[in-house]
Amino acid sequence: MEEKTRIFDEHDFDPIPEQDRHTDTVARQSTSYLKDVWRSFCKRKTALVSLVVMAVILLLVLIGPEISGYDYYSNDYTAINQPPSAAHWFGTDSLGRDLWTRVWMGGRVSLLIAILATIIPYTIGMIVGGISGYFGGKLDQFIMRAIDVLMGIPQLIYMILLMVIMGSGNIWTLVIAMSITGWMSAARSTRGLVLQLRNRDFVVASETLGASPARLIAKHLLPNTMGILVVGMAMMIPSVIYSEAFLSYIGLGITPPNPSWGQLIKTASETFRYYPYQFIIPCIFISITMLCCNLIGDGLRDALDPKLRA
């Protein structure tokens, strides 16, 4: 009996018919790390709303004093302690100065101090923590024990002592005092992250190729810790705003006629019973700013953490 031999075509083994081959293909759009983080951040509605509110506050801080047409230092003794009105949107203080202008000028000073007193100590802390975590050994033990001793005393006491020694009333004095005392927590966080990365393959490969310790720390280790440290910086801004307000309230911060939110609260506390709006308005903006920064930090933490990203 004669057997017929069948020659199979390659299409006989194709599980997808020719007419459906292109229609069933699903193309995934290429994305980047930053786009992925932004997409995850936008899913946190509270963080997104906080970012919009913070952007509005920053815009008013930049252009608010120019809108009113008043100077923040000019006195008008014919308009003393006036309530909010069409002429003075936030009212006036005991010297007849427009509170709208002074609130936004005070916000400019407070936010400038908060940003500088966050970036500078975090930069110092990242350098110290990176060196400590990479080299390890006795150097790491010495740095960590010194930080433990310094952190045993409340940070606010350090700042008050430094302000008394260096003198108060200056923006840069506040920034220096907060930077000297604020780098320690950043150093501990960076050191822990560097210890996790020190034995990774890309670090070992760079060491094998002859990369110097300074290059390894600056180019490979520290950039890989920025995601978590950015969240720490966002969380630190509210504490710096609170510290500046407290120091101004006890007379060690910004001095008149230069305003800050803390200095406005201190001045208004003396006449709170009679003119509560002078006290409440700067308190509201401090509270909103601190709340927005904390919510933005929470959103960044969830967006940057791969375990929490959908």
Side-chain angles (χ1 to χ4, degrees):
M1 187 175 181
E2 185 178 355
E3 295 183 357
K4 294 183 179 181
T5 303
R6 182 183 177 188
I7 300 175
F8 292 94
D9 196 328
E10 60 180 358
H11 295 293
D12 293 336
F13 299 98
D14 193 352
I16 302 176
E18 180 69 27
Q19 63 272 16
D20 297 333
R21 189 175 301 167
H22 301 290
T23 59
D24 291 347
T25 302
V26 178
R28 177 181 174 85
Q29 294 182 354
S30 61
T31 184
S32 63
Y33 175 73
L34 293 178
K35 289 181 180 179
D36 191 24
V37 169
W38 174 249
R39 187 184 300 113
S40 300
F41 181 83
C42 290
K43 293 178 181 179
R44 278 75 180 176
K45 301 302 180 183
T46 55
L48 189 61
V49 171
S50 300
L51 183 63
V52 173
V53 173
M54 198 65 205
V56 172
I57 291 176
L58 289 174
L59 180 63
L60 289 172
V61 162
L62 293 175
I63 68 172
E66 283 73 26
I67 294 176
S68 64
Y70 297 100
D71 294 327
Y72 71 92
Y73 54 84
S74 297
N75 300 337
D76 184 4
Y77 293 106
T78 64
I80 295 175
N81 293 324
Q82 287 189 357
S85 62
H88 302 280
W89 297 340
F90 285 170
T92 60
D93 62 6
S94 57
L95 296 177
R97 295 173 295 191
D98 183 67
L99 278 181
W100 169 274
T101 305
R102 289 185 63 77
V103 164
W104 297 122
M105 282 298 300
R108 188 179 297 181
V109 173
S110 295
L111 291 177
L112 177 63
I113 293 172
I115 293 172
L116 292 177
T118 299
I119 294 176
I120 294 175
Y122 255 84
T123 303
I124 298 172
M126 287 173 63
I127 295 172
V128 175
I131 293 172
S132 176
Y134 177 77
F135 289 102
K138 294 182 178 180
L139 179 62
D140 178 42
Q141 292 294 324
F142 173 76
I143 293 175
M144 287 299 106
R145 297 297 75 78
I147 290 176
D148 291 339
V149 172
L150 292 174
M151 293 186 71
I153 302 174
Q155 185 178 358
L156 201 56
I157 295 178
Y158 285 122
M159 285 191 290
I160 292 174
L161 291 175
L162 289 170
M163 293 298 294
V164 171
I165 294 171
M166 294 186 295
S168 60
N170 193 331
I171 292 177
W172 294 108
T173 304
L174 279 168
V175 172
I176 292 171
M178 293 181 182
S179 299
I180 291 175
T181 59
W183 62 271
M184 292 176 283
S185 59
R188 296 186 70 175
S189 301
T190 306
R191 180 245 185 191
L193 295 171
V194 169
L195 285 175
Q196 297 176 6
L197 299 170
R198 186 176 59 181
N199 295 322
R200 298 285 292 272
D201 292 340
F202 67 93
V203 178
V204 176
S206 298
E207 289 177 339
T208 305
L209 293 173
S212 63
R215 180 177 177 83
L216 281 171
I217 295 172
K219 297 292 185 180
H220 298 287
L221 293 175
L222 292 184
N224 282 282
T225 65
M226 284 303 297
I228 297 176
L229 293 178
V230 165
V231 179
M233 294 173 69
M235 294 293 193
M236 186 176 177
I237 289 177
S239 64
V240 175
I241 294 175
Y242 172 79
S243 299
E244 183 275 326
F246 177 76
L247 291 172
S248 297
Y249 188 81
I250 63 176
L252 293 176
I254 303 300
T255 55
N258 296 320
S260 72
W261 282 341
Q263 193 267 330
L264 290 173
I265 292 173
K266 175 183 181 298
T267 304
S269 64
E270 300 172 359
T271 58
F272 174 72
R273 284 188 177 184
Y274 309 104
Y275 312 107
Y277 63 91
Q278 299 178 10
F279 182 87
I280 292 173
I281 290 174
C283 286
I284 288 174
F285 286 110
I286 285 181
S287 302
I288 292 174
T289 303
M290 293 177 65
L291 177 63
C292 288
C293 289
N294 279 316
L295 292 176
I296 291 171
D298 288 339
L300 285 174
R301 180 197 61 198
D302 296 343
L304 292 169
D305 191 346
K307 296 179 181 179
L308 298 177
R309 289 210 306 266

